[in-house]
Amino acid sequence: FYETLCFISNKTNYIQIDIDEEGEYIRNAIVYYHNLKYDKAIFEKSVYIRSSIEKANSVYSFKCVFQGVSIQFIDSNKLLACGLSKFHKMFNLEFEKEGAIAYSFYKSGIACDTVSIHEYIKHLKQNEIKSFIHKITSNADFKYDPKTDTFDAMAYYRHYLNLDCLVLREGLKAFNECVKKITNDRLTIFYHGINTAASLGHKLALINGCYDGVYSVSGNLREYISTAIYGGRVNPNKKYVKKVLEIKGGIADYDGVSLYPASMYRLCQEYGVPIGQAKKFEHK
């Protein structure tokens, strides 16, 4: 796992790759983004994307080559499905994500070195203004001038983005320590192709012998077997299909929860799972 910092500017597009302990430039890098779908839309304008893993309008990862460096971008939100603002409390981090940034203010062509605070806060939510002003006036790096009530918005923007990177990096490292602990150092998210919470569970099941004796299938055989899979169904009352209901007292939604783990447990207790090579059943 290499700490890789990525930049895109309006004049040049480049990626800065750290050098390793031996002084060699990294030729294979992994970059984590929290909500990769947004960033992929930006990157694909500047780099050639060799492959991409996407499903249900969601981007899991993609690969590209830039200036001789093979880079894999991974969506960390698929591993930790929560906002970066929760990382500080979740992992007891030194860094904490701040929530007062006016993205809509930063537009190409607008000078951001000396900006009126009153103009900037027009782009913030009401509950963000107090913490924003406290941050601006208490940090000398943002060059707040009480006489003109202005500050360096670009310096603040860089600080905010850098803090995002630090929180994500430290959060992933802390999460990896949790994974190593619960797996007795048998798994790590950085070296075992673990990009989602589901893949983590799958790898853990594998090393615990869950699939011992069970053969994996692929290709046409897998496609054929999958025709026997049923699930994901929704059964509305036919009388109310595609109709807007206005019922006094609201609607009670009796939705079953934990059905997959419950059915897996019952399957193992009452039947077991098929093991050995697949056999063709005759009609008789």
Side-chain angles (χ1 to χ4, degrees):
F1 172 63
Y2 298 102
E3 299 161 7
T4 307
L5 193 58
C6 299
F7 301 87
I8 288 189
S9 70
N10 56 0
K11 293 182 179 180
T12 58
N13 301 306
Y14 62 95
I15 295 176
Q16 174 185 315
I17 304 297
D18 292 343
I19 59 175
D20 62 16
E21 293 82 357
E22 298 178 356
E24 296 293 332
Y25 280 96
I26 305 305
R27 292 304 173 190
N28 294 280
I30 297 176
V31 182
Y32 288 89
Y33 273 84
H34 217 58
N35 185 16
L36 185 61
K37 180 181 178 181
Y38 170 81
D39 300 286
K40 179 176 179 290
I42 302 298
F43 270 103
E44 62 187 2
K45 300 175 183 178
S46 306
V47 298
Y48 173 69
I49 297 178
R50 298 174 61 184
S51 62
S52 179
I53 299 176
E54 303 179 25
K55 184 179 180 181
N57 201 31
S58 183
V59 178
Y60 289 77
S61 67
F62 69 88
K63 293 181 180 180
C64 69
V65 174
F66 189 80
Q67 295 186 359
V69 179
S70 176
I71 308 171
Q72 181 182 14
F73 292 87
I74 298 174
D75 190 347
S76 53
N77 194 43
K78 302 300 187 295
L79 265 173
L80 290 163
C82 65
L84 290 179
S85 59
K86 297 181 180 180
F87 277 31
H88 171 71
K89 186 176 181 180
M90 183 183 298
F91 298 115
N92 193 28
L93 301 181
E94 176 185 353
F95 307 100
E96 183 174 5
K97 176 181 168 63
E98 299 158 353
I101 187 76
Y103 287 115
S104 59
F105 176 82
Y106 299 94
K107 298 179 181 178
S108 179
I110 297 180
C112 297
D113 54 344
T114 305
V115 174
S116 167
I117 285 182
H118 297 288
E119 288 298 318
Y120 192 89
I121 63 176
K122 292 178 181 179
H123 298 262
L124 293 175
K125 297 178 181 178
Q126 194 65 33
N127 61 347
E128 296 176 336
I129 295 177
K130 185 177 179 179
S131 63
F132 164 74
I133 293 178
H134 172 73
K135 188 70 178 179
I136 292 300
T137 55
S138 61
N139 192 325
D141 293 338
F142 306 140
K143 303 176 183 177
Y144 170 66
D145 186 348
K147 295 181 180 180
T148 59
D149 210 25
T150 58
F151 74 107
D152 188 337
M154 185 53 67
Y156 178 68
Y157 191 43
R158 292 194 185 100
H159 166 81
Y160 185 89
L161 295 180
N162 184 58
L163 198 59
D164 265 8
C165 294
L166 291 174
V167 170
L168 178 57
R169 183 187 69 185
E170 297 305 312
L172 284 175
K173 288 165 70 175
F175 177 67
N176 189 52
E177 290 302 312
C178 295
V179 171
K180 290 167 64 177
K181 183 178 180 180
I182 64 175
T183 63
N184 295 320
D185 287 326
R186 291 179 292 177
L187 288 179
T188 165
I189 63 172
F190 302 133
Y191 295 109
H192 291 101
I194 299 172
N195 299 337
T196 64
S199 64
L200 172 58
H202 178 66
K203 296 279 187 179
L204 184 57
L206 277 172
I207 65 176
N208 283 327
C210 179
Y211 304 120
D212 288 354
V214 179
Y215 278 61
S216 61
V217 295
S218 61
N220 291 338
L221 181 56
R222 176 181 175 178
E223 193 71 21
Y224 173 73
I225 293 174
S226 67
T227 60
I229 298 175
Y230 293 87
R233 295 182 174 183
V234 177
N235 295 292
N237 190 317
K238 293 182 179 180
K239 293 189 299 182
Y240 306 121
V241 173
K242 297 183 180 180
K243 292 182 180 180
V244 178
L245 302 181
E246 295 182 2
I247 301 176
K248 294 182 179 180
I251 300 175
D253 179 17
Y254 295 101
D255 186 20
V257 296
S258 297
L259 298 182
Y260 278 117
S263 61
M264 291 174 186
Y265 177 80
R266 182 182 173 188
L267 176 67
C268 292
Q269 293 297 314
E270 299 182 14
Y271 302 100
V273 295
I275 61 175
Q277 290 183 323
K279 298 182 178 69
K280 180 180 178 182
F281 286 1
E282 300 295 339
H283 288 293
K284 64 182 180 180

